[in-house]
Amino acid sequence: MKDFKNDPRFAGIEPFEKKIWLSSPTMHGEELEYMTEAYTTNWMSTVGANINEVERLTCEKIGRKYSVGLATGTSALHLAVKLLGERLYGQPKVGHGTLEGHRVFCADMTFDATVNPVAYEGGELVFIDTEYDTWNMDPAALEKAFELYPEVKLVVMVHLYGTPAKIDEIRAICKAHGALLLEDAAESFGSTYKGVQTGTFGDISAISFNGNKIITGSAGGMLLTDDEMEANKARKWSTQSREAAAWYQHEELGYNYRMSNVIAGVVRGQFPHLEEHIAQKRAIYYRYKEKLAGLPAAMNPVDTAVCEPNYWLSCMIIEPEAMCGQVRGETDALYETEPGKSCPTEILAALAAFNVEGRPIWKPMHMQPIYRMNAFVTAKGNGRGASNAYTAGTGAGDVGADIFARGLCLPSDNKMTMEQVDRVAEIIRRCFD
Ligand SMILES: *Cc1c(COP(=O)(O)O)cnc(C)c1O
C-alpha cells in the first residue's frame, strides 16, 4: 500500500474523520414505529400487518398485480427461477432441479445472486456479454446466443447500479424465440424505463431490501408477478409448502423464505422515503459528473431520453489511453503510478487512505473461478480470451472484462453532502496528476 498521505499529489487534502460509505442504510424514525408495533402486538413472526402493507405498497409503486414478501432478494430470485422452470419444463422429481439439462442465458456483469439461483435449480448457465450504453446485457450478444443455442427458453437479466437495461430489445428477442424473462430489479427499485417502473418487465421480477439498496429492511426481498396462482405458489413454497391440514402435511418441497413481520416494519417505514433517496442519489451522480469533468474518464452512461434511473450507485470509467499499468490476480491487484494516468486499483487505494469506501465494478461471472467452464457469448463472437489483465483495445470483444478493468463504483451514500462529494472528486482528480 502506497503512502498517499505523504504523496505530494495529495498535498492539502485531509482524510475524512467519519468514514464515507459506498451505500449505507438511512433510517428516518418511522421504521422503529412499525417494528415496535410488531413487537407490542406480538406479530413477531412471518405473519402480520407490516408484511401485508409492504406487499400492497410494492404492487402500488411498481404497478404489478401480485408481490410476495420474502427473506431476501436472493430467495425471491430462487423462487422466481423455480416457478419459471416449472412453467417451462414441469415439476421435477423431489431432489432434482427444475432446470436440470437445460441451458439458461444469464447476465454476465452482475452480482452473483442474480445468476446463482439458476445453478441452485441445476440449470447450465450461459453468460451473455455486456454493452457500453447501459452496462447491462447486450441484445446483440443475446441474439448471437440464440443462434448458438436455439433451444433456450429462459433469460435472466439485471438493471445494474439502477440503470435500466435495453428492455425493449431484450424483450423482443425473448418473444421472437419463445423465451421467458426473469428480471432482477434488486438494484433498480424506483427506476423507470420509458416511464414504466422496472420490476414490471419480467415474466417474473424480483427486488431486494438488503442493507445497501435504495430502501432497506436490513434484509428482505419481493417476488413480483401478474399471475395469482404463481404468487400463491411462491407464498406456499416460502412457508415450507404446508398443505391445508391440521398436521404438517407436504406435497411439495418447501423453503423457509418468508419475510419477517419485523423486517417488513423497517421496509414499511422506508417506503415514504424512496423518492427522497432517489433524489439524493441523483444529486450525487450529477455532482460527480460536474466535478470530474475534464478528466480522461466518464460517469456510467445514463440516457435520460429513454430512462430515469434511481442512480443507486455512481460509477466512473477511465479512458483506455489514461489507464496506468494494472494487473489483477484472483484476490490481489498491482498497479504502476504514471503521470497523467490512473486506474481503479490506484483510485480505490487512494480513497481508502482518505477513509472513503469505493468498490471495483462487479466482476463479470465468466471471469469467476466458479463459472470458468461455462459458455460466454459476446457480440463480436470471439468470447473468452480476456484475462484479468487490462485488455481494452485488444479486440478480445469482451465488454464486461473491459468495464471491470477500467471502471469503479464511487461512494454514493445518500447522506453524503455536496462538499463531501467534492472532496472525493478532488482525491480522484489528483490520482491523474
Ligand atoms: C443485492 C442484489 C441481489 C440480492 O439481494 P439480497 O436481498 O441481498 O439477497 C440480487 N441481485 C442484485 C443485482 C443485487 O444487487
Side-chain angles (χ1 to χ4, degrees), residues 71-75 77 110-111 113-114 158 160 184 186-187 207-210 212-213 220-221 312 362:
T72 58
T74 308
S75 47
L77 287 160
T110 187
F111 186 51
T114 306
V158 66
L160 206 69
D184 179 356
E187 299 179 0
I207 59 173
S208 163
F209 299 117
N210 178 299
N212 65 8
K213 300 300 197 283
W312 176 58
W362 294 185

Side-chain angles (χ1 to χ4, degrees), residues 373-416:
M373 300 303 279
N374 292 58
F376 170 55
V377 183
T378 69
K380 279 189 185 166
N382 42 6
R384 284 177 186 278
S387 68
N388 292 331
Y390 174 62
T391 56
T394 61
D398 181 341
V399 175
D402 182 38
I403 296 176
F404 176 62
R406 296 192 287 124
L408 69 148
C409 305
L410 305 176
S412 311
D413 197 69
N414 48 321
K415 294 173 290 306
M416 280 176 84

Side-chain angles (χ1 to χ4, degrees), residues 288-295 299 316 410 425 428-429:
Y288 274 126
K289 197 176 168 85
E290 184 193 329
K291 293 290 164 177
L292 296 174
L295 286 181
M299 298 296 290
M316 65 180 277
L410 305 176
I428 295 167
R429 181 170 287 282

Side-chain angles (χ1 to χ4, degrees), residues 87-106:
R87 227 202 264 185
L88 289 167
Y89 308 114
Q91 203 174 28
K93 258 177 38 189
V94 175
H96 288 261
T98 324
L99 298 173
E100 274 176 35
H102 301 288
R103 291 192 176 92
V104 175
F105 293 152
C106 298

Side-chain angles (χ1 to χ4, degrees), residues 77-394:
L77 287 160
H78 184 191
L79 296 188
V81 161
K82 190 166 155 130
L83 283 169
L84 294 173
E86 284 204 359
R87 227 202 264 185
L88 289 167
Y89 308 114
Q91 203 174 28
K93 258 177 38 189
V94 175
H96 288 261
T98 324
L99 298 173
E100 274 176 35
H102 301 288
R103 291 192 176 92
V104 175
F105 293 152
C106 298
D108 178 59
M109 199 173 85
T110 187
F111 186 51
D112 69 341
T114 306
V115 304
N116 284 347
V118 173
Y120 300 162
E121 288 302 315
E124 185 180 330
L125 297 83
V126 174
F127 296 111
I128 310 297
D129 200 13
T130 307
E131 39 83 5
Y132 287 108
D133 297 340
T134 75
W135 292 11
N136 286 302
M137 181 183 280
D138 184 354
L142 181 62
E143 189 65 70
K144 189 100 192 261
F146 274 113
E147 284 168 27
L148 295 167
Y149 308 103
E151 77 283 3
V152 169
K153 292 287 172 233
L154 180 58
V155 175
V156 182
M157 66 172 294
V158 66
H159 309 292
L160 206 69
Y161 304 134
T163 303
K166 294 187 173 177
I167 299 169
D168 280 353
E169 291 88 337
I170 290 171
R171 291 228 296 182
I173 295 167
C174 287
K175 192 157 175 239
H177 296 275
L180 299 177
L181 184 64
L182 169 53
E183 180 192 23
D184 179 356
E187 299 179 0
S188 69
F189 185 37
S191 303
T192 59
Y193 173 82
K194 297 187 178 172
V196 179
Q197 291 280 322
T198 61
T200 56
F201 297 105
D203 289 280
I204 302 183
S205 305
I207 59 173
S208 163
F209 299 117
N210 178 299
N212 65 8
K213 300 300 197 283
I214 191 90
I215 62 169
T216 182
S218 74
M222 278 288 168
L223 179 146
L224 303 157
T225 173
D226 293 326
D227 185 313
E228 186 176 14
M229 282 204 349
E230 284 192 335
N232 289 339
K233 201 179 247 193
R235 207 167 276 125
K236 178 187 167 192
W237 286 349
S238 75
T239 48
Q240 302 290 16
S241 293
R242 291 160 64 172
E243 300 297 330
W247 46 84
Y248 289 131
Q249 175 83 7
H250 302 286
E251 294 176 10
E252 293 180 284
L253 199 58
Y255 302 85
N256 184 3
Y257 277 0
R258 189 72 165 136
M259 180 180 273
S260 144
N261 192 50
V262 180
I263 297 288
V266 185
V267 179
R268 189 177 175 184
Q270 290 261 290
F271 246 95
H273 300 280
L274 173 61
E275 292 307 322
E276 168 192 336
H277 287 191
I278 294 174
Q280 290 161 337
K281 298 266 193 185
R282 186 191 295 115
I284 291 168
Y285 175 92
Y286 286 103
R287 186 75 169 204
Y288 274 126
K289 197 176 168 85
E290 184 193 329
K291 293 290 164 177
L292 296 174
L295 286 181
M299 298 296 290
N300 53 311
V302 163
D303 183 357
T304 50
V306 182
C307 66
E308 190 51 48
N310 67 4
Y311 297 96
W312 176 58
L313 287 190
S314 288
C315 305
M316 65 180 277
I317 182 161
I318 299 167
E319 286 173 13
E321 311 75 53
M323 282 284 291
C324 65
Q326 170 187 259
V327 181
R328 283 175 170 154
E330 290 302 345
T331 53
D332 297 298
L334 288 172
Y335 69 92
E336 234 176 343
T337 305
E338 293 179 55
K341 297 184 176 187
S342 192
C343 63
T345 304
E346 179 179 49
I347 294 172
L348 291 169
L351 292 177
F354 288 95
N355 210 13
V356 179
E357 184 189 31
R359 195 163 295 173
I361 295 296
W362 294 185
K363 183 174 179 177
M365 291 299 118
H366 78 278
M367 297 170 76
Q368 302 286 355
I370 180 177
Y371 292 125
R372 70 191 175 282
M373 300 303 279
N374 292 58
F376 170 55
V377 183
T378 69
K380 279 189 185 166
N382 42 6
R384 284 177 186 278
S387 68
N388 292 331
Y390 174 62
T391 56
T394 61

